[in-house]
Amino acid sequence: MLDNQAKQMLRNIVGDRFFKDDPESLVTHSYDGTPMLQSLPDGVIYPQNTEQVSAIMKVLTEYRIPLISRGSGTNLCGGTVPVQGGIVMVMHRMNAILDIDLQNLTATVQPGIITKQFIEHIEQLGLFYPPDPSSMAISTIGGNIAECSGGLRGLKYGTTKDYVIGLECVLASGEILRTGGKLMKDVAGYDLTKLLIGSEGTLAVITEATLKLIPPPKFKKTMLAMYKDIYGAARTVSKIIESRIIPATLEFMDNPTIRVVDDFAKLGLPLDMAAILLIEQDGDMETVERDIARMTEICHEEQADQVTIASNQEEALKLLTARRSAFTALARLRPTTILEDATVPRSKIAEMVLEINRIAEKHQVQICTFGHAGDGNLHPTATTDARDPEEIHRVEAAFEEIFEAAISLGGTITGEHGVGLVKAPFLEWKVGSTGIALMKGIKDAFDPHHLLNPGKMFAKESRRRVVIDRG
């Protein structure tokens, strides 16, 4: 329970309108985009500026009250579920674009701005901010930074960490820390900016970010390659990269995903294909035309059944929108949709997809796979029903084997969704006991009382690695 004196101190900081502890507000902020996870906070607070965040943290530290900072809650790792109660700090009031610096090609923003709104604003100025998570119509820049979000353009342009060059944040003590700045080079000590990106709200509360902008590509072309052999699709991915071509987008969908997406988007895709690659290239016209021609050759060399090139921007946008809607389309199938992510070296994509299919069949669960083939990041997605505990148990067992398979192939348990609560038991599989100890030491230095997003990243007990019988 929240101490009444602490509650009044928090109300005094933000005003009565912006501190809530009514049942509706508590329930609304008891879950995020992760299915089957819910825990009530003790209060919800909406700061307006960095000074208020600092004052709030000083109160919470004094009374040893946990704090969960939150954007739109679209994450899929249980990252903003208040598993130990406490205060949920919603950053939506802090949603301003503070500065667009055309001389340095940077933008300084508050964390609560919606990603798509920011991208559209930047594009109107003739500039480009590449990170494009599928949730960008809802997710916030602050949430993207907390999870180090990726997206369809990650192969060519990188992810959120490649565009955040400076941060302002508030520590658990209430102290304000500024890192980086409008600099392209800065090696003054440890890189605290990069450390905070992807730290999932466990080290500090981000209150401002300086982002790198780049000139937009002048020309784009989009193509679709369809395969009856999944290995042909995988070989195409490897051969494109081997040919020194880095596409702007190189996406993969397996047959179950193709069927669902086609039913949702009405694209008229052939439903007998084992895999589809969605490929986009951008840049100057000559380079794009040359790369598209070579990639078309590669697709045919690897026995693509059909290769089509979008005839106009509208058709290209329709294809990209369909890929972005894969999760939405799959969510229509059954009451519960569990979207996971695992990353392998791109040369291992076919092996990983076949492993996913084998594991799904073994556990008698329905799993569709799509993802960012160019960087090896796959999204196996189970459609299930949370009301059936036995089936959910089989789904969880399947995903445990999928994480093990990814690591066995030289990959990792998460490429862009984060660790949060869901992946915490598996983190040691990837980083080892030495890595866990080092990370805990960093946590202690930033947050000695473990008030910031407690219960995330580090599990009470790590899972024992399963031994997969690949038969």
Side-chain angles (χ1 to χ4, degrees):
M1 292 292 292
L2 191 61
D3 183 279
N4 285 332
Q5 186 173 354
K7 189 185 298 187
Q8 189 55 51
M9 293 171 75
L10 295 173
R11 290 186 187 279
N12 291 343
I13 293 169
V14 296
D16 288 343
R17 283 182 59 201
F18 299 110
F19 177 86
K20 300 181 184 295
D21 60 356
D22 59 284
E24 183 178 349
S25 295
L26 299 186
V27 170
T28 300
H29 296 87
S30 65
Y31 58 91
D32 56 25
T34 319
M36 303 182 298
L37 286 178
Q38 187 171 20
S39 182
L40 288 173
D42 298 302
V44 183
I45 199 163
Y46 301 80
Q48 186 176 22
N49 52 48
T50 302
E51 289 68 31
Q52 287 188 358
V53 174
S54 175
I56 291 164
M57 285 312 312
K58 289 175 181 177
V59 172
L60 299 184
T61 295
E62 179 182 349
Y63 287 88
R64 300 293 191 265
I65 300 167
L67 183 281
I68 301 88
S69 54
R70 175 187 172 113
S72 299
T74 57
N75 80 89
L76 296 165
C77 64
T80 49
V81 177
V83 291
Q84 295 184 20
I87 299 296
V88 172
M89 182 184 287
V90 182
M91 308 305 288
H92 281 172
R93 291 179 72 204
M94 296 177 62
N95 61 6
I97 297 175
L98 301 173
D99 174 57
I100 303 293
D101 186 336
L102 298 180
Q103 290 184 322
N104 288 302
L105 290 186
T106 64
T108 303
V109 303
Q110 291 181 311
I113 188 167
I114 300 298
T115 308
K116 187 176 181 181
Q117 292 176 358
F118 171 69
I119 288 174
E120 289 175 344
H121 180 80
I122 292 303
E123 287 178 349
Q124 288 172 6
L125 299 176
L127 294 168
F128 187 34
Y129 179 74
D132 61 336
S134 294
S135 61
M136 66 180 182
I138 309 168
S139 64
T140 62
I141 290 290
N144 295 169
I145 294 170
E147 299 295 335
C148 191
S149 298
L152 274 66
R153 296 192 285 242
L155 169 62
K156 183 172 185 175
Y157 290 102
T159 61
T160 299
K161 70 178 183 296
D162 300 301
Y163 295 88
V164 180
I165 56 176
L167 290 171
E168 175 191 82
C169 62
V170 176
L171 303 179
S173 63
E175 295 171 281
I176 298 171
L177 173 69
R178 292 180 176 83
T179 73
K182 296 179 180 181
L183 306 166
M184 295 301 108
K185 292 182 178 179
D186 181 5
V187 293
Y190 299 136
D191 193 338
L192 297 178
T193 304
K194 289 293 189 287
L195 176 61
L196 290 165
I197 300 165
S199 63
E200 303 184 23
T202 63
L203 301 181
V205 180
I206 293 166
T207 53
E208 189 178 297
T210 300
L211 308 174
K212 179 177 71 173
L213 308 176
I214 61 176
K218 297 177 181 178
F219 187 68
K220 293 181 183 179
K221 266 201 169 181
T222 305
M223 58 186 287
L224 205 61
M226 309 179 195
Y227 298 81
K228 290 184 177 177
D229 172 21
I230 196 168
Y231 277 103
R235 287 193 303 269
T236 298
V237 172
S238 297
K239 200 165 183 179
I240 286 172
I241 305 301
E242 188 181 345
S243 299
R244 311 295 192 271
I245 298 172
I246 306 297
T249 298
L250 181 45
E251 296 291 300
F252 168 90
M253 290 188 288
D254 71 356
N255 179 268
T257 309
I258 294 167
R259 290 175 175 273
V260 174
V261 167
D262 188 69
D263 181 63
F264 178 77
K266 310 300 181 188
L267 294 174
L269 298 173
L271 303 183
D272 59 341
M273 295 297 159
I276 280 180
L277 295 178
L278 174 64
I279 308 169
E280 183 179 69
Q281 184 59 301
D282 61 15
D284 64 85
M285 183 179 293
E286 182 181 352
T287 301
V288 171
E289 295 286 9
R290 184 186 67 237
D291 286 352
I292 289 289
R294 177 60 186 134
M295 288 190 290
T296 300
E297 288 178 3
I298 292 170
C299 292
H300 287 304
E301 287 168 5
E302 298 303 335
Q303 308 305 310
D305 195 73
Q306 296 180 41
V307 181
T308 59
I309 297 174
S311 58
N312 53 50
Q313 187 175 354
E314 183 180 350
E315 187 177 328
L317 182 61
K318 188 176 181 181
L319 292 173
L320 290 166
T321 301
R323 162 57 188 88
R324 291 184 191 280
S325 70
F327 176 66
T328 304
L330 290 168
R332 300 162 71 226
L333 296 181
R334 303 216 32 216
T336 307
T337 306
I338 303 175
L339 189 154
E340 275 295 354
D341 81 317
T343 301
V344 294
R346 49 184 165 240
S347 61
K348 301 291 186 181
I349 285 175
E351 288 179 60
M352 188 63 198
V353 173
L354 292 175
E355 272 296 287
I356 292 169
N357 293 344
R358 184 193 66 77
I359 292 167
E361 184 177 354
K362 172 184 172 182
H363 293 279
Q364 292 299 292
V365 294
Q366 182 177 9
I367 296 181
C368 302
T369 303
F370 59 93
H372 316 306
D375 53 25
N377 185 208
L378 296 173
H379 295 306
T381 304
T383 53
T384 181
D385 189 338
R387 296 168 296 184
D388 185 342
E390 192 276 331
E391 183 175 318
I392 291 298
H393 177 74
R394 286 187 279 115
V395 169
E396 290 173 344
F399 276 125
E400 186 167 344
E401 288 197 27
I402 286 169
F403 302 150
E404 163 65 17
I407 288 178
S408 296
L409 292 171
T412 184
I413 60 172
T414 176
E416 58 185 7
H417 288 180
V419 176
L421 188 64
V422 173
K423 300 282 184 71
F426 308 103
L427 181 60
E428 191 171 332
W429 291 10
K430 175 59 181 173
V431 303
S433 58
T434 302
I436 291 288
L438 187 59
M439 289 182 184
K440 285 182 175 179
I442 293 170
K443 170 71 171 172
D444 289 341
F446 273 84
D447 180 21
H449 302 297
H450 291 200
L451 299 179
L452 294 174
N453 209 4
K456 312 299 166 51
M457 196 79 74
F458 307 112
K460 291 181 180 178
E461 291 185 10
S462 295
R463 292 284 185 91
R464 294 183 63 185
R465 283 183 66 171
V466 297
V467 178
I468 297 178
D469 178 10
R470 292 187 167 87

